[in-house]
Every structure is written in C-alpha cells, then in structure tokens.
Amino acid sequence: MRFGLMTCYDLRFPELARSLADAGVQVLLVCSSWVPGEHKTEQWLALNAARAIENSVYMAGVCQAPPVSVGRSVLVDPMGVVEADLGLEPGVRTVEVSLETVDRVRESFPMFRQRRL
C-alpha cells in the first residue's frame, strides 16, 4: 500500500492530491490544525471527501481537537463515504483500508484513463 502525505492548507489544492495519486498512492494522509471559523468544519469535511472521490483514494484527515482547531478527524473511502469520524473530542481509532476497494473503485470509475486536459 502506498501512502502520500499532505499538510493542512494543502487540502485546498487538488493538484497536489492528484499528483500523489498519479504516483500510485492509495491512501492520502493529511495532518491539520484547521482553524475554526464560519463554515470551516463543513469545508474540512467536504474537501476530504472531494480529494477521496476525485482521486479514488482513502483520505485520512487528522485534525487537532477544539478549541484550537475544528477536530473531526476522518477516514473517507474512495467513494466519499465517511468510514470513521472522531468528532470533537481527542481520540484514537484504528481503521482498516482495503486495496481491493481502491482497485474496484478505480475500475468502476476509470477517471485516470479517461481524463482530458
């Protein structure tokens, strides 16, 4: 399994996630201290899901808990389904990811072969 690492603000730039997926990454890890503010939690969740869907990867978004950050550390599968959400409290959770799931999604949605610039 190949992992790619991004940090906080990188999540807003789809090009970085795509370049990592192009390099063969199946799981993107993003460590963050996503600053609270208007709609920031919604943005955090939406951007993690978007990067997962558009790259057919798992997104493991780890974010510091409130009050410093928005919390909501998540694991999003390649279809955009949130498989784990730690909520607002500090915590630890173990989750399994499946290469078969990544392969199946990439076969069902062959975006890498079909994309055009």
Side-chain angles (χ1 to χ4, degrees):
M1 188 168 291
R2 294 189 72 178
F3 294 87
L5 181 62
M6 298 168 39
T7 59
C8 201
Y9 195 54
D10 292 340
L11 190 58
R12 292 192 178 274
F13 302 97
E15 300 85 359
L16 178 57
R18 177 54 53 99
S19 68
L20 291 166
D22 281 342
V25 163
Q26 293 113 346
V27 181
L28 286 172
L29 310 169
V30 60
C31 55
S32 181
S33 182
W34 203 262
V35 179
E38 186 175 3
H39 306 296
K40 293 293 287 286
T41 299
E42 293 83 2
Q43 292 172 12
W44 166 254
L45 296 171
L47 289 169
N48 272 283
R51 299 297 86 87
I53 293 167
E54 68 197 10
N55 294 295
S56 302
V57 296
Y58 282 93
M59 279 296 303
V62 179
C63 187
Q64 188 176 7
V68 175
S69 299
V70 301
R72 301 293 300 269
S73 293
V74 292
L75 177 73
V76 182
D77 80 4
M79 292 296 290
V81 175
V82 176
E83 292 195 359
D85 184 339
L86 289 183
L88 301 177
E89 300 298 320
V92 175
R93 182 162 175 197
T94 301
V95 284
E96 291 188 25
V97 296
S98 163
L99 284 178
E100 290 79 22
T101 297
V102 173
D103 291 341
R104 181 179 41 80
V105 170
R106 287 182 177 177
E107 183 63 32
S108 297
F109 300 95
M111 296 173 292
F112 292 100
R113 291 193 315 263
Q114 296 175 343
R115 73 179 177 198
R116 304 290 180 262
L117 297 178

